[in-house]
Amino acid sequence: MANDTRPGRRQERLRVRGVALPSEEWAEFWIANGRLTREPLPDATTVVDGGWLLPGLVDAHTHPGALRPGDPLDPALLRRHGREHLAAGVTLLRVPGSADRLPAWFGAEPDQPRVVSAGRWLGVPGTFYDGWARHVGEPELADAAVEEARASGGWCKVYADWVVGEEGLDAPPLPVGVLTELTRRVHAMGGRVAVHAQTAAGAEAAVAAAVDSLEHGLGLDPALLERMARQGTALVPTFTVWETFEQVARSSGSERFRSWFRAAHARLAPLVSAAHEAGVTVLAGTDSYGTPELPHGRVAGEVRHLAAAPMPAAAALGAASWTARAFLGFPVLDHDAPADLVAYDLDPRTDLAVLRTPARVIHRGRVIR
């Protein structure tokens, strides 16, 4: 890799070349005005000369700007968390729910990743923490979902169930009819629906409603995977957050809850592997909050979890790059695409640990590192 450009220095005309993924073809791009071009620019500075080029990484489930779910958004934290993602090569975030709607500058300023948001968390009373989500009754839920999707630019996030203790195991999920009508309404206005589901009943309701993405899916019945693949419902298993959920299980005081969680968690890796085999779009999301236990910029760890499920290394990598970008409507490396890319000295498919140390991160045509 050439090292003649200081991280953070603005470059009007850059040149990168290497093996592009997922095409596996040798590629040479020039960068001007924040976009890739295949037309040579004689005065460009070479910043990547060899190695592997990937479309910018994606964390498809993260919650920057607060240290706990539902805390008021802190602009300073939001900016810091965005930079932490970007330093790790994550140039695109999907933020499926927050306490407040994200400010317009987040996702637009040069030192921040691009952002797909989903407005405020939505649920009926009793799902998610009181005061931390927008709680409405079942009859008002579809209207609220349309409102959040419009305010966010397309997505909304809904809780089909909520399990943080024994009582959640017996609570009925959001009725299928309510979730189906909500999804129909959001789709009709051109939006998309992400659904939190931990239990088998919650996941079944989400799949029956043909939502766009199923978040977590601990209790998902494998028999539903073929239907998910047919209708395009993605699975975001968020392995990273379950590393810390064991603490919740231990401190719950409920042996039934601990047993449920441990059994569901043990089923998750085989479920993800089966989902990939069935053709379900699997996406990498960390469910990070910026705490010491769930810091931002750790999507590389989520990719390793996916690969260990197992998924093929290339598929696990795509879940945090080209596959996720396509699902969210963003291009990969091509002529006239946005100049968002990450470069590695070694092929990350042969050693996923390489993802932790990108040789170059370029975002909006600017060298980040």
Side-chain angles (χ1 to χ4, degrees):
M1 296 289 177
N3 59 4
D4 53 4
T5 297
R6 296 190 301 272
R9 180 184 172 189
R10 181 78 179 183
Q11 291 291 315
E12 292 300 324
R13 293 173 178 265
L14 306 176
R15 173 176 173 258
V16 300
R17 62 181 198 159
V19 178
L21 296 178
S23 70
E24 299 184 330
E25 297 177 353
W26 179 262
E28 187 167 17
F29 293 105
W30 287 262
I31 299 172
N33 301 317
R35 305 193 76 81
L36 299 174
T37 177
R38 295 186 186 274
E39 299 176 2
L41 301 173
D43 58 343
T45 301
T46 299
V47 292
V48 179
D49 194 6
W52 279 259
L53 309 177
L54 274 68
L57 300 183
V58 182
D59 190 331
H61 190 130
T62 181
H63 300 287
L67 294 181
R68 297 184 307 165
D71 278 358
L73 284 176
D74 181 327
L77 272 179
L78 191 61
R79 190 175 297 278
R80 190 188 83 192
H81 292 160
R83 288 172 174 166
E84 288 171 357
H85 278 292
L86 206 52
V90 179
T91 67
L92 175 60
L93 306 177
R94 187 181 64 145
V95 182
S98 54
D100 305 299
R101 293 171 185 163
L102 297 174
W105 61 261
F106 186 59
E109 294 194 351
D111 67 340
Q112 297 296 313
R114 302 181 195 274
V115 174
V116 174
S117 66
R120 297 186 62 189
W121 288 294
L122 287 171
V124 296
T127 56
F128 207 46
Y129 301 107
D130 287 341
W132 285 3
R134 181 179 174 185
H135 286 119
V136 298
E138 289 178 7
E140 296 79 37
L141 197 57
D143 285 341
V146 168
E147 183 179 340
E148 294 300 331
R150 283 180 174 151
S152 72
W155 281 84
C156 65
K157 164 74 172 294
V158 183
Y159 280 80
D161 58 26
W162 178 241
V163 181
V164 290
E166 182 174 347
E167 62 279 3
L169 297 176
D170 298 319
L174 194 64
V176 174
V178 172
L179 193 52
T180 300
E181 175 61 12
L182 180 155
T183 302
R184 185 194 69 77
R185 291 271 310 278
V186 172
H187 284 176
M189 52 79 64
R192 301 172 85 180
V193 180
V195 168
H196 167 110
Q198 295 168 276
T199 65
E204 183 178 4
V207 176
V211 304
D212 297 281
S213 71
L214 177 57
E215 314 298 310
H216 312 306
L218 281 173
L220 176 63
D221 185 344
L224 297 173
L225 294 175
E226 289 188 4
R227 179 171 179 177
M228 289 177 66
R230 287 196 307 270
Q231 67 193 25
T233 299
L235 175 63
V236 192
T238 63
F239 281 102
T240 299
V241 75
W242 303 125
E243 296 173 5
T244 66
F245 209 71
E246 173 65 28
Q247 301 171 16
V248 177
R250 286 200 304 268
S251 63
S252 70
S254 168
E255 181 57 37
R256 182 184 174 211
F257 174 64
R258 287 192 292 269
S259 297
W260 171 83
F261 168 70
R262 289 166 182 165
H265 189 218
R267 291 194 300 268
L268 186 58
L271 174 69
V272 169
S273 183
H276 170 72
E277 290 295 325
V280 175
T281 297
V282 177
L283 305 179
T286 61
D287 204 4
S288 50
Y289 279 94
T291 63
E293 298 81 15
L294 289 171
H296 292 287
R298 287 210 307 165
V299 77
E302 186 70 18
V303 172
R304 292 195 297 276
H305 280 302
L306 294 176
M311 284 174 58
L317 186 56
S321 181
W322 53 86
T323 302
R325 294 179 70 86
F327 181 79
L328 295 172
F330 287 78
V332 294
L333 302 179
D334 203 353
H335 177 76
D336 202 37
D340 301 344
L341 63 92
V342 59
Y344 300 92
D345 290 322
L346 302 174
D347 185 348
R349 297 170 301 173
T350 61
D351 182 2
L352 291 173
V354 170
L355 291 177
R356 295 195 302 264
T357 54
R360 275 279 185 260
V361 177
I362 297 175
H363 181 54
R364 305 179 194 269
R366 174 176 176 263
V367 175
I368 301 301
R369 62 177 290 176

